[in-house]
Amino acid sequence: MVWPGGHVGAANAPGARALLSLVLPALVVGTACSLLLLVIDHLSERLQEALWQGLPALLGVDGSTGWWTVGVLTLTGVAVGLLLWKVPSGPDPATEELIGRPLPPVVVPGMLVAAVLTLAGGVSLGPENPVTATNVALAIALGTRLLPDVTHRVWLGLAAAGTVGALFGTPVAAALLLSEAMTSPGEGELWDRLFAPLVSAGAGAVTTVVVASPTMSLGLPDYAGARLTDLVTGAVVAVCGTLLGLAAVYAFPHVHRFFRLLGHPVARLTAGGLVLGLLGVVGGRITLFKGLTQMKELTADVAAYTAGGLALIAAVKTVALLVAATCAFVGGRIFPAVFVGVTLGLLASTLAPAVPVTLAVACAVLGVVLAITQQGWLSLFMAAVVAADIDLLPVLCVVLLPTWLIVTGRPKMIVREPA
């Protein structure tokens, strides 16, 4: 991950005046980051409704049939492949992290159109990577032109923080993610470096909440309180989630290499779309899309699923994430990973009813997200947000420790291109 901090000028300790000078740019950047995310979400949702509801109704066919699922996802692959072939749209998404190296603005239009098609077509990816990359590219290009005294790293930090705050509706996620990334010595106090990014994250979060009122809470039962056995069962569930996530991480470069054998981007994405369509038929419509709405539906109707059904959904979604992220669809991996964790937690609670469902879901989300992102604070945050129960935090902090021992030193879910 690119370090997203920085300061104005050359001084290591910028002081209150320099920090205050960044408040207005941070507010503008954070608000703009949120608005861009909301626009992308709105466009993809309207196109999704047209593809999966409006068009079938217009044609007089059943949009829930397997052949429609396969057809839409395959044609989505064709469309995204043609776009990536003909329009500059950035590097291979499999080589990019959530906060990666800044991209040139020329790739932004193509990347955003590809992201909208990906999200609307039912591909198992989220909007976080392309939206973050776009906001960073635009912030640096416009910011350095308007305020040339502010460094590239400051604009990168403001855009990254603003986007993360907007994505999750709170600046807390940005604070945790950036504090984990800001490890360089000799760059001043941590809170000096976090000050402007947190202003941006707050502006992005407030804008998103005011406009869209998003929530990731699943409405799970209240957690009764920590017990000694919960530390053991929670750790077991989290470790299972970590192992499932690591299986996908280790398979990642091999699946990517397979799709690269197809050569042409249209061929790769058409094949990827076809595979995703077949997976959608096997796992059901619940396994499509980024997973935020679907995990709420799954939790609300979990009694309708057997343990085998939940296991199938978790497996299909994991493979779908793996395929989508390696065949060049444009999107992020955090939201699908959270869906996998939620499904695995529901499965654990179904198999062992004595394990509180809220504990099982939170620990499974922590394990899966940790394996895929290798971000401890972010994984802890996602688990806490999904559970929406402050009483779980002490247990999650303890459960994080054995899972981190498994994850540390392991490869990341990213393909390293030769220099």
Side-chain angles (χ1 to χ4, degrees), residues 61-84:
V61 299
D62 185 0
S64 63
T65 58
W67 69 266
W68 187 265
T69 299
V70 173
V72 170
L73 278 156
T74 303
L75 291 177
T76 299
V78 173
V80 175
L82 289 171
L83 181 70
L84 299 187

Side-chain angles (χ1 to χ4, degrees), residues 42-419:
H42 178 77
L43 292 176
S44 61
E45 287 168 3
R46 299 292 79 78
L47 181 57
Q48 176 184 324
E49 291 174 359
L51 290 174
W52 297 94
Q53 299 173 27
L55 188 57
L58 182 65
L59 298 176
V61 299
D62 185 0
S64 63
T65 58
W67 69 266
W68 187 265
T69 299
V70 173
V72 170
L73 278 156
T74 303
L75 291 177
T76 299
V78 173
V80 175
L82 289 171
L83 181 70
L84 299 187
W85 177 34
K86 293 296 186 180
V87 179
S89 48
D92 184 348
T95 65
E96 292 296 296
E97 299 185 72
L98 177 61
I99 305 175
R101 60 188 184 275
L103 301 178
V106 68
V107 307
V108 165
M111 184 166 55
L112 290 182
V113 174
V116 169
L117 293 174
T118 296
L119 293 168
V123 178
S124 292
L125 292 173
E128 58 272 20
N129 282 37
V131 171
T132 302
T134 295
N135 285 333
V136 168
L138 295 179
I140 291 177
L142 298 176
T144 53
R145 183 183 295 269
L146 296 173
L147 296 174
D149 290 337
V150 181
T151 65
H152 281 62
R153 288 199 301 175
V154 171
W155 293 116
L156 190 156
L158 297 182
T163 307
V164 173
L167 280 166
F168 303 114
T170 171
V172 176
L176 295 175
L177 185 64
L178 297 184
S179 65
E180 193 167 6
M182 292 178 176
T183 56
S184 301
E187 294 286 355
E189 297 295 335
L190 174 63
W191 280 98
D192 283 343
R193 289 177 279 158
L194 278 177
F195 181 84
L198 279 182
V199 173
S200 179
V206 169
T207 303
T208 299
V209 169
V210 169
V211 175
S213 300
T215 176
M216 294 188 68
S217 173
L218 300 179
L220 296 169
D222 291 338
Y223 180 58
R227 302 171 298 175
L228 183 60
T229 54
D230 290 347
L231 296 176
V232 178
T233 55
V236 171
V237 173
V239 166
C240 290
T242 302
L243 294 177
L244 177 61
L246 283 177
V249 169
Y250 276 101
F252 193 77
H254 302 290
V255 180
H256 181 264
R257 193 176 303 117
F258 167 77
F259 280 111
R260 276 295 183 92
L261 293 176
L262 299 179
H264 201 283
V266 176
R268 289 202 302 271
L269 281 149
T270 302
L274 175 61
V275 173
L276 290 174
L278 295 174
L279 288 170
V281 173
V282 174
R285 185 69 61 85
I286 197 77
T287 61
L288 302 182
F289 307 103
K290 65 182 180 182
L292 181 58
T293 301
Q294 290 70 30
M295 69 184 186
K296 296 178 182 179
E297 295 173 356
L298 183 65
T299 304
D301 199 28
V302 67
Y305 295 91
T306 64
L310 292 171
L312 177 64
I313 290 172
V316 167
K317 190 67 172 183
T318 303
V319 176
L321 167 59
L322 188 59
V323 171
T326 54
C327 72
F329 278 110
V330 179
R333 301 153 205 165
I334 295 176
F335 286 105
V338 173
F339 177 91
V340 173
V342 169
T343 309
L344 188 63
L346 295 173
L347 172 61
S349 183
T350 301
L351 293 174
V355 180
V357 62
T358 306
L359 172 71
V361 168
C363 291
V365 168
L366 186 151
V368 175
V369 175
L370 182 64
I372 289 178
T373 66
Q374 291 198 10
Q375 297 291 325
W377 285 125
L378 180 63
S379 304
L380 185 64
F381 170 81
M382 297 305 300
V385 167
V386 166
D389 197 324
I390 195 68
D391 292 332
L392 264 174
L393 270 179
V395 177
L396 293 174
C397 289
V398 175
V399 166
L400 177 63
L401 301 178
T403 55
W404 180 255
L405 289 177
I406 297 174
V407 167
T408 185
R410 305 291 180 181
K412 295 183 177 182
M413 185 176 263
I414 187 170
V415 174
R416 302 292 183 185
E417 293 279 26

